[in-house]
Amino acid sequence: MNNQSLPTAPRRTLSLLLGGALVLTIGLGSGFLAGRQSVAAVDGLSEIEHVIRDQALAVPDNQTINDGALRGAVASLDDQYASWYSADEFARFSSQLDGKFVGIGVFLERTEVGMLITGVIPNSPAETAGLKAGEYIVAVNGTRLRSTMPFEEMVGLITGEEGTEVSLLITTTAGEEKPYTITRAKFDLPLTQTQMLDNGVASIRLHEFSRGAADSLKTAITEAKSQGAKGIVLDLRSNPGGLLEESIGVMELFVAPHSRVVTIESRHDHQDMDTGDAEPPFGDLPFVVLVNEYSASASEIVSAALQDHGRAKIVGHQTFGKGVVQSVVNLQGGTGMKLTTARYLTPNGENINEIGVTPDVAISASPERVLQEAANYLIETKPEAFAN
């Protein structure tokens, strides 16, 4: 399975990122131009820099002015997923793609009322504190989050060094404001979690499509089958996405060789992304896919592709609806950036951006009840696989 990237992206493009949300563990920046000399090279910026140095009450250093220009350049893209990273920030961001984090452990989306928590990482400080998906972070260390704040600035207020504390004001799902003080910590994101249910069904939760996701899922399914599982619920609830190559790798576990996974359309190119040559190890395994309103991007690619190919039924709630793709690019001096470079279409040619994937079976209940209903549906629709 080869890493994929858009040919129109700069030569240092790392990978296509299909993330509907970011794990709140890193401080993020934004920007586009590289190099201090670029500030003076842009019309008007050198004049602004001169006015700042001559008249501003508080004069920032050269690096701060340069970084501010970079942040402003990316902000001009009107791209909510675009960010520029300093060298330290980019190193932390890259470690996120490897599933290694320092932070509080929540997945976030920027909204008009604050930062929406779309998922909480197991065994993280956020889970220990009791934060839940669907809640909003509305203030950090006494600073109210404003809709005009860049995403990176909001995240930067919350991130910090291991062992330090951050005070959050949370709006609960009941609409009440509640304060929390959380100590940042280092932790690994477990890619999969397995729960053996009744009647030969295993629930396998895939938390994120970061590096190694497909291999981790393959191992989890193999182990579940060795414990007597005859079918699985692939739980993608609150999975915010990840890497394109991992979504293709997951599809290769279940569908025939050379099956369409997704079509990527950029300004200059059109790519049909298919599975490889190998036969799927679980081509006959009965399973359903469980999703919710926070299942995004790579989760939606996999769900839609399995649905279009008739390989698995989708159960749960309408998904998030992120149908655009970001490229992650290495820049000079160890810095980097992420920006939207393409849109994707399902195998049937559908654009699900701001729409989402419609489940075959809609279920609205408690998380535990939804999981059990998904397992029951699998048994009811595949009785021959679960017969004693």
Side-chain angles (χ1 to χ4, degrees):
M1 181 176 62
N2 296 323
N3 290 352
Q4 300 291 336
S5 60
L6 294 180
T8 54
R11 62 184 177 85
R12 291 176 298 232
T13 295
L14 297 180
S15 182
L16 292 185
L17 185 67
L18 299 164
L22 288 178
V23 179
L24 182 52
T25 57
I26 54 177
L28 306 181
S30 62
F32 185 74
L33 302 176
R36 184 172 300 168
Q37 68 276 13
S38 62
V39 175
V42 179
D43 290 343
L45 287 183
S46 59
E47 185 177 11
I48 290 173
E49 182 179 1
H50 174 76
V51 172
I52 290 173
R53 295 191 184 285
D54 184 56
Q55 301 184 32
L57 182 61
V59 181
D61 58 29
N62 289 342
Q63 189 62 53
T64 300
I65 292 176
N66 186 72
D67 289 353
L70 303 180
R71 299 181 199 283
V74 161
S76 73
L77 293 173
D78 192 26
D79 177 357
Q80 64 175 312
Y81 302 111
S83 295
W84 173 85
Y85 307 102
S86 70
D88 289 343
E89 293 164 351
F90 194 54
R92 290 194 292 269
F93 175 75
S94 298
S95 72
Q96 172 189 328
L97 296 180
D98 290 323
K100 300 180 184 299
F101 310 107
V102 173
I104 65 172
V106 290
F107 295 107
L108 293 175
E109 282 292 337
R110 176 185 172 183
T111 72
E112 291 298 314
V113 297
M115 301 290 273
L116 171 65
I117 299 173
T118 62
V120 179
I121 295 174
N123 303 315
S124 67
E127 184 185 61
T128 300
L131 299 188
K132 296 179 176 60
E135 297 180 331
Y136 291 84
I137 300 174
V138 296
V140 183
N141 292 330
T143 300
R144 281 275 176 175
L145 301 184
R146 306 182 307 274
S147 61
T148 55
M149 282 184 176
F151 180 81
E152 311 79 31
E153 183 179 347
M154 292 184 183
V155 172
L157 291 172
I158 309 171
T159 57
E161 298 299 322
E162 181 181 5
T164 60
E165 291 185 342
V166 60
S167 297
L168 306 177
L169 186 63
I170 302 295
T171 298
T172 68
T173 54
E176 301 173 347
E177 290 192 347
K178 185 176 179 181
Y180 290 84
T181 298
I182 302 176
T183 301
R184 304 175 180 101
K186 182 183 296 183
F187 57 92
D188 293 334
L189 174 63
L191 288 175
T192 58
Q193 284 183 305
T194 301
Q195 178 182 356
M196 298 300 295
L197 306 176
D198 297 332
N199 302 316
V201 178
S203 167
I204 301 179
R205 187 157 196 168
L206 182 62
H207 288 286
E208 193 180 51
F209 286 82
S210 55
R211 293 187 183 100
D215 287 341
S216 182
L217 180 58
K218 181 179 180 181
T219 298
I221 295 174
T222 300
E223 292 177 351
K225 290 183 65 178
S226 71
Q227 297 175 33
K230 300 176 181 178
I232 68 167
V233 175
L234 176 57
D235 191 348
L236 298 182
R237 288 178 295 178
S238 299
N239 183 318
L243 298 171
L244 174 59
E245 55 263 35
E246 294 298 335
S247 65
I248 295 173
V250 167
M251 287 295 295
E252 289 176 337
L253 301 177
F254 303 109
V255 300
H258 310 295
S259 294
R260 180 64 36 81
V261 177
V262 67
T263 296
I264 306 293
E265 291 185 342
S266 70
R267 288 170 53 198
H268 308 292
D269 193 47
H270 173 109
Q271 292 188 54
D272 294 327
M273 314 300 291
D274 300 342
T275 57
D277 299 328
E279 291 294 328
F282 309 115
D284 297 324
L285 179 70
F287 76 108
V288 296
V289 180
L290 182 56
V291 296
N292 66 5
E293 62 270 36
Y294 305 126
S295 304
S297 204
S299 297
E300 295 174 293
I301 283 180
V302 169
S303 299
L306 290 169
Q307 189 178 58
D308 285 359
H309 287 295
R311 179 62 182 88
K313 296 294 186 181
I314 311 302
V315 180
H317 193 282
Q318 189 89 5
T319 62
F320 185 85
K322 180 177 182 289
V324 290
V325 181
Q326 285 71 53
S327 291
V328 180
V329 185
N330 269 323
L331 300 175
Q332 67 181 25
T335 63
M337 70 177 297
K338 170 173 64 72
L339 76 166
T340 300
T341 54
R343 66 176 59 88
Y344 69 77
L345 306 177
T346 73
N348 286 348
E350 295 182 12
N351 182 349
I352 64 168
N353 194 45
E354 300 184 354
I355 299 172
V357 177
T358 301
D360 299 289
V361 182
I363 302 176
S364 296
S366 67
E368 296 79 12
R369 185 62 184 171
V370 169
L371 177 58
Q372 189 58 57
E373 290 293 330
N376 292 342
Y377 176 78
L378 177 61
I379 294 171
E380 291 169 2
T381 55
K382 300 288 184 180
E384 68 283 354
F386 296 93
N388 292 327

